[in-house]
Amino acid sequence: MSTLSQESCEACRADAPRISDDDLKILMPKIPDWTPVVVDGILQIQREYPFKNFKGAMAFSNQVGELAEEAGHHPAILTEWGKVTITWWSHSVKGLHKNDLIMAARCDEL
Amino acid sequence: MSTLSQESCEACRADAPRISDDDLKILMPKIPDWTPVVVDGILQIQREYPFKNFKGAMAFSNQVGELAEEAGHHPAILTEWGKVTITWWSHSVKGLHKNDLIMAARCDEL
């Protein structure tokens, strides 16, 4: 099992580094259901979680919201009937920080 | 004040009509903060609500979710730090049904 989820999110400052290509290659296989996407030129990671209805989707969105509040790092949560799409990236680095991959791994454990 | 929010959502069947251009022209001014958007060829209406933080955004998303469950009609709810973007359309008619505009008006009253 990946222990990525157990790593600590570090404070993400404007001068924090984006994740290196080498680290990205090592860590992405630990969250195999996440897909890199580029939105407005910003690299992000995204995963869609299926649910049986809206209620289940909303409940999961709230769980992710609680996780985000605890970590002080927040994703985009798209809640629809039967699915939730989570997108992580770091505004401060205009791309991916290691924190984003840690948070993705934590979402997968919910 | 608009009373659009007080109208009833009718059952939306596959053979239900999309809203007519004439009705759209009459009703859109009643929800002036909503913008028509076309996504994958499907006409939808969208509004962004600003919030001070993530917690406020998540709370509003839940309120919209409850409204949706009560009406049996569900939007896409995009929850982010400081804002929520709501998008309404009707899968069954691959576009806008009058229900969508009624639900938009109800969101504005939350």
Side-chain angles (χ1 to χ4, degrees):
Chain A
M1 274 297 291
S2 161
T3 56
L4 184 59
S5 62
Q6 283 142 36
E7 293 196 36
S8 298
C9 283
E10 56 188 73
C12 199
R13 310 171 313 277
D15 62 345
R18 288 188 203 178
I19 193 166
S20 71
D21 288 350
D22 284 349
D23 280 351
L24 204 55
K25 272 181 208 158
I26 293 166
L27 295 177
M28 281 303 287
K30 296 195 175 193
I31 47 169
D33 296 314
W34 291 78
T35 306
V37 292
V38 177
V39 180
D40 296 332
I42 294 175
L43 182 60
Q44 313 182 346
I45 49 172
Q46 192 169 74
R47 178 175 177 185
E48 193 179 296
Y49 296 87
F51 291 91
K52 282 183 193 163
N53 51 34
F54 184 79
K55 204 172 174 178
M58 196 77 237
F60 180 73
S61 296
N62 277 291
Q63 284 185 290
V64 173
E66 282 167 29
L67 201 71
E69 281 287 272
E70 279 165 26
H73 188 45
H74 301 84
I77 306 174
L78 178 61
T79 313
E80 295 175 271
W81 196 98
K83 66 177 173 179
V84 175
T85 308
I86 304 289
T87 311
W88 287 101
W89 77 100
S90 294
H91 286 87
S92 53
V93 302
K94 294 195 177 82
L96 287 174
H97 185 278
K98 191 179 176 183
N99 288 352
D100 297 306
L101 284 78
I102 294 171
M103 294 304 290
R106 289 185 189 172
C107 285
D108 285 347
E109 290 186 348
L110 284 176
Chain B
M1 276 297 289
S2 162
T3 56
L4 184 59
S5 63
Q6 282 142 39
E7 293 195 35
S8 298
C9 283
E10 58 189 70
C12 199
R13 310 170 315 274
D15 61 345
R18 288 188 203 178
I19 193 166
S20 70
D21 288 350
D22 284 348
D23 279 351
L24 204 55
K25 272 181 207 158
I26 293 166
L27 295 177
M28 281 302 288
K30 295 195 175 192
I31 47 169
D33 296 314
W34 291 77
T35 306
V37 291
V38 177
V39 180
D40 296 332
I42 294 174
L43 182 60
Q44 313 182 345
I45 48 173
Q46 193 168 74
R47 178 175 177 184
E48 193 178 297
Y49 296 87
F51 292 91
K52 280 183 195 164
N53 51 33
F54 183 80
K55 203 172 175 181
M58 196 77 236
F60 180 72
S61 296
N62 278 291
Q63 283 184 292
V64 173
E66 282 167 30
L67 201 70
E69 282 287 90
E70 280 166 25
H73 186 45
H74 302 84
I77 305 174
L78 178 61
T79 313
E80 297 175 89
W81 195 98
K83 66 178 173 177
V84 175
T85 308
I86 305 291
T87 310
W88 287 101
W89 76 100
S90 294
H91 286 88
S92 53
V93 301
K94 293 194 176 83
L96 288 174
H97 186 279
K98 191 179 176 184
N99 289 351
D100 296 305
L101 284 78
I102 294 170
M103 294 304 290
R106 289 185 189 171
C107 285
D108 286 347
E109 290 187 348
L110 285 176

